[in-house]
């Protein structure tokens, strides 16, 4: 009996050893391999992230700066008065005038240029120019007012004509040419789009009074530019003879000396 029990026990031990399922051993090995693979994958992923971060820190920041500049509002180079409108007296069938003051608020020279949606019936004086830092000018805008249609009231009539003022930074003093804006198109900024507003000339208002004042100042500045510059050098008289002030004084002095000598004699 003891032998049988020993046999049974030995047989049980053998079955207990051999009866271990095959899937348990494979599962343990697969679990360890899976864990090893996942650890290797995470390390590889972290290394990729570090490499991408390192590359991003060494890449130039031109793209970021360009995007940031596009999101920022455009800084005005010119100050306009009126800021966004052009006032015209409403006189159907006549050519009327408006005026706008333009001032350079930058620390560098700035070129400006007018554009309009109706070049056949509107023109500007001057159509463009270059302003030094802090310099200002009053531009005059001319427009032909068409008679109203369908018996519309003058004030109720709406004008579809618009004006646009563009600016461009330039290097120092130079002669203005419109081609500047074509050659440096990427650096041109639109300062403002001006709408046309008609005023009743028979009813005074602050806007009409300001328009008259600006037009008067523009005419005075135009007349001042037409005058020849004052001559600061030697004066020319007669047939091109140069008269020197010191020479005149010497001649007068010699003449007085001769008179005194004659009197003494």
């Amino acid at each position: 009996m003891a032998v049988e029990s020993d046999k049974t026990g030995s047989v049980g031990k053998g079955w207990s050893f051999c009866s271990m399922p095959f899937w348990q051993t494979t599962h343990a090995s697969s679990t360890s391999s899976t864990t090893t693979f996942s650890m290797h994958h995470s390390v590889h992923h972290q290394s990729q992230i570090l490499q991408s971060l390192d590359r991003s820190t060494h890449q130039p920041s031109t793209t970021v700066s360009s995007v940031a500049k596009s999101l920022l509002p455009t800084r005005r180079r010119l100050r306009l008065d009126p800021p966004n409108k052009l006032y015209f007296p409403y006189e159907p069938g006549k050519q009327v005038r408006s005026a706008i003051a333009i001032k350079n608020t930058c620390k560098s020279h700035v070129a400006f240029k007018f554009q309009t949606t109706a070049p056949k019936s509107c023109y500007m004086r001057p159509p463009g120019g270059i302003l030094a830092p802090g310099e200002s000018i009053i531009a005059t805008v001319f427009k032909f007012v068409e008679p109203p249609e369908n018996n519309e009231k003058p004030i109720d009539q709406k004008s579809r004509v618009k004006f646009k003022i563009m600016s461009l930074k330039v290097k120092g003093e130079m002669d203005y040419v419109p081609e500047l804006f074509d050659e440096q198109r990427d650096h041109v900024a639109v300062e403002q789009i001006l709408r046309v507003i008609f005023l009743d000339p028979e009813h005074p208002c602050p806007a009409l009074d300001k328009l008259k004042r600006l037009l008067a100042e523009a005419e005075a500045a135009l007349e001042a530019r037409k005058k020849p510059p004052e001559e600061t050098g030697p004066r020319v008289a007669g047939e091109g003879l140069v008269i020197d002030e010191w020479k005149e004084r010497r001649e007068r002095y010699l003449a007085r000396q001769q008179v005194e000598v004659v009197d003494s004699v």
Side-chain angles (χ1 to χ4, degrees):
M1 295 295 293
V3 175
E4 291 179 1
S5 63
D6 292 338
K7 289 181 179 180
T8 305
S10 61
V11 173
K13 289 181 180 179
W15 275 109
S16 64
F17 176 77
C18 296
S19 64
M20 180 181 292
F22 176 76
W23 63 269
Q24 289 185 359
T25 58
T26 56
H27 177 71
S29 60
S30 62
T31 303
S32 61
S33 61
T34 304
T35 306
T36 306
F37 175 75
S38 61
M39 291 176 63
H40 177 71
H41 179 70
S42 61
V43 171
H44 180 67
H45 182 65
Q46 291 178 1
S47 63
Q48 287 183 344
I49 294 176
L50 292 175
Q51 290 177 1
S52 62
L53 289 175
D54 184 66
R55 287 195 299 267
S56 64
T57 54
H58 288 84
Q59 286 180 351
S61 58
T62 55
T63 306
V64 178
S65 61
S66 61
V67 173
K69 289 181 180 179
S70 63
L71 295 177
L72 292 175
T74 305
R75 187 176 182 273
R76 303 295 182 186
R77 301 166 181 165
L78 303 175
R79 186 171 65 195
L80 309 177
D81 187 22
N84 55 6
K85 298 176 184 177
L86 281 176
Y87 295 97
F88 291 90
Y90 187 79
E91 299 179 10
K94 295 182 180 180
Q95 187 183 65
V96 295
R97 297 180 303 163
S98 181
I100 182 171
I102 306 173
K103 183 176 182 179
N104 180 10
T105 58
C106 288
K107 296 182 180 180
S108 60
H109 287 68
V110 174
F112 71 92
K113 179 182 177 181
F114 273 100
Q115 281 188 347
T116 178
T117 57
K120 295 183 178 180
S121 61
C122 304
Y123 70 94
M124 290 67 66
R125 187 179 66 191
I130 296 178
L131 299 177
E135 185 181 1
S136 60
I137 188 175
I138 299 178
T140 307
V141 184
F142 298 83
K143 174 178 170 54
F144 178 78
V145 182
E146 297 180 357
E149 299 178 359
N150 301 326
N151 296 323
E152 292 178 346
K153 294 182 180 181
I155 304 301
D156 295 340
Q157 186 184 16
K158 297 180 180 180
S159 177
R160 297 180 180 179
V161 179
K162 294 182 180 180
F163 295 84
K164 181 169 64 175
I165 297 182
M166 301 179 295
S167 67
L168 172 67
K169 284 187 177 182
V170 296
K171 297 180 180 179
E173 297 182 2
M174 62 176 63
D175 295 332
Y176 170 78
V177 289
E179 289 76 15
L180 284 173
F181 288 83
D182 296 331
E183 297 172 355
Q184 304 182 32
R185 188 173 303 174
D186 296 337
H187 302 284
V188 175
V190 177
E191 290 290 331
Q192 190 59 262
I193 296 179
L194 307 171
R195 296 188 301 110
V196 173
I197 303 296
F198 288 115
L199 300 175
D200 189 355
E202 298 180 356
H203 292 80
C205 63
L208 185 61
D209 296 339
K210 185 176 182 178
L211 173 60
K212 293 179 179 179
R213 178 176 57 82
L214 288 176
L215 289 173
E217 293 179 4
E219 288 295 329
L222 180 62
E223 293 297 328
R225 287 195 296 268
K226 288 181 179 180
K227 292 181 180 180
E230 297 181 358
E231 298 178 357
T232 57
R235 292 180 293 114
V236 180
E239 298 180 357
L241 298 177
V242 179
I243 302 176
D244 193 354
E245 183 179 358
W246 292 101
K247 186 176 180 180
E248 290 181 355
R249 291 182 180 181
R250 182 173 178 79
E251 289 177 354
R252 288 196 297 267
Y253 174 75
L254 294 175
R256 286 198 301 270
Q257 291 293 330
Q258 292 177 1
V259 171
E260 290 178 357
V261 171
V262 172
D263 292 341
S264 63
V265 172

